[in-house]
Amino acid sequence: MKCDYSAKDNLSPELFSYREGECNLFIVWKTAFACGPRTQTNCTIVNNNQHYDLSPLTRYSDNYVIHIGNETSPKLVLNVCHSVIRQRGSICPVKTGICLDDPKRSNRYSSLGEVQESPFFTNGRLQIEYKNGGICSVLSIVTPHIKTTIIFICDLEAKTETTPEYLRGQEECHYRLIWRTAAACSVEALRDYSAKTAGKCTVTNPLTNFTYNLQPLMNKDFIVTSSSDIEYKFRICGSLTDNTCGAKTGVCDSKHNASLGQANANLIWQQGGPYLNYTNGKICSQTGMRHYTIIGFFCGPEGSTNAPFLMEDNPCQTVIHWNRDLSLGFPVVSPTLNKDLRTTLHYLGGSECPDHPTKSISSNFTFICDDNNQKLPVYKSFVDCTYMFEWKTSIACGAVMGSWTPPCAIKDGFLSHEYDLSLLHKNQQIHYVKGKQGKEYGISICGGEKYCNGSAVCHENNGYGSLGSVIFDYSRNDIKLKYTNGSKCNNNSYSSEVRFICDESMGVGTPKLLLVSEHFN
């Protein structure tokens, strides 16, 4: 049995696919009854009239895991606005928002901070702080307990399937992480971003990149009935054809032949489900404004009706809700690992299964690490009302450790890709980039051993580290060179990271400074 706080009470055990004749069956039963006590905080905040909501990052059946260094180093296990899910591989102390998993220690799991406060802004940065962790054993640090600060950076291209990156702080009893994610953007910014890519009766969720398509509901009349038995006839993303309530009407009060709003095909995204806003209806006598209608679409609870219903019926506003499982087809759970340690995604709640009318069709996608991103999913079989697909993609490889090959090449240790970086040094040995405060940093990827006391990144006489690791992150489609043990910086040493992002149109390109972390307290 597996803890899942979001599981419905009637969720049944899940049997992994198996071949005939196999003696071992794998069954997983996700249920909230397998969970212990938990700690949560409000995950929203308003700053400068902008609304922020980090709750899409909260996990209810698993945790985020980040390695400090290479894959054999200790790991950070964390959640967002919610205590860590206690399960095999993450037996963290109760109330812990983040903990250290170090198999080499007798006390393997130690708290790095508890869930106590909601997100907040400091110096214009959205942050979460987990305080009151384990006892700090560093003699030079006066703070008695370990704490962790997570800085969230709005990145509309990053979506929510990202993980935080460890910056530093292990030696100071103050762990610092940075997280680039679309969930850190304001709701207003997300809505504007989504509107730019919206089509006719379609809109894309900027957090997940899932596209809602309500076009199958177009060109049909639907009816909801008020408490006083008045019928409201409406259409989705188009006007009614009879013109009883006037041209362009999207919602019509059939009793009074009054328009409750003119139709449009501008589907608008919001967390929870998209909606249509039909404006410019009849004049509202109470305010002199025109009547408008909101038609909201939601993933309704299991067993709920698929028919639209009248949610609110006010003199100047009408609200219609519609639970539409097919139009909002999300995967039921986050990606998980199967028994072969491959990433799988399971979709439930499809159409009626022709073989078993009491069941619904489902789909399983298994993602396999492969260096070809142009391939599409391949259909494998149809077993017990479930379509089985395999999808070979480098995204499934995750982060792969690489190595440096002199004089100036890097090699992926898993897929054996080798990249020659010598063009970064051929015509210009040192590339410069300026920070917001005017500081100028020099970068010499290929000549690092001869530049700035062996550092590839340098500011004045301070070296920002020698090459410590090469990471091919296929989930983000970038390559990271991490430099550590640079010049002394207070009680620590400078470090840096250079990230390469593939863009064939850029040529050699120019570096850009993303972040200077020495300003974080």
Side-chain angles (χ1 to χ4, degrees), residues 287-453:
T287 64
M289 306 292 286
R290 289 191 175 273
H291 195 102
Y292 69 95
T293 297
I294 299 292
I295 306 176
F297 300 88
F298 302 89
C299 284
E302 187 174 346
S304 61
T305 176
N306 278 341
F309 60 94
L310 196 61
M311 189 71 178
E312 293 184 29
D313 188 18
N314 300 317
C316 302
Q317 176 201 52
T318 299
V319 179
I320 298 172
H321 278 193
W322 200 341
N323 296 327
R324 293 290 303 179
D325 292 338
L326 295 180
S327 65
L328 309 179
F330 278 113
V332 172
V333 295
S334 300
T336 58
L337 293 178
N338 64 12
K339 62 180 181 179
D340 298 320
L341 299 181
R342 287 176 171 173
T343 302
T344 62
L345 199 56
H346 194 38
Y347 291 80
L348 297 177
S351 303
E352 180 183 289
C353 179
D355 297 340
H356 301 281
T358 59
K359 290 186 176 182
S360 297
I361 293 175
S362 62
S363 299
N364 264 355
F365 286 82
T366 300
F367 298 89
I368 301 173
C369 174
D370 190 273
D371 62 352
N372 189 346
N373 273 330
Q374 303 303 316
K375 292 182 179 178
L376 296 174
V378 176
Y379 167 75
K380 304 299 290 186
S381 62
F382 181 73
V383 180
D384 193 23
C385 298
T386 300
Y387 286 93
M388 312 296 293
F389 298 89
E390 283 187 356
W391 198 335
K392 294 183 178 181
T393 170
S394 65
I395 295 176
C397 301
V400 176
M401 300 302 294
S403 59
W404 177 268
T405 303
C408 195
I410 52 177
K411 186 174 182 179
D412 169 1
F414 183 69
L415 298 174
S416 298
H417 292 161
E418 186 166 304
Y419 299 85
D420 185 358
L421 303 180
S422 59
L423 283 178
L424 299 177
H425 191 71
K426 183 177 181 180
N427 297 322
Q428 183 178 346
Q429 284 72 45
I430 303 175
H431 299 262
Y432 294 96
V433 60
K434 281 190 176 182
K436 292 182 178 179
Q437 297 180 349
K439 283 187 177 181
E440 186 174 67
Y441 300 85
I443 303 173
S444 180
I445 298 298
C446 300
E449 295 180 358
K450 301 177 182 178
Y451 174 62
C452 197
N453 299 320

Side-chain angles (χ1 to χ4, degrees), residues 214-225:
L214 298 183
Q215 291 180 359
L217 299 178
M218 295 177 64
N219 303 316
K220 302 173 185 176
D221 291 345
F222 301 97
I223 294 176
V224 293
T225 305

Side-chain angles (χ1 to χ4, degrees), residues 248 259-264 277-281 290-293:
K248 300 181 180 180
S259 172
L260 303 184
Q262 293 187 353
N264 62 71
N277 185 9
Y278 288 174
T279 59
N280 203 32
R290 289 191 175 273
H291 195 102
Y292 69 95
T293 297

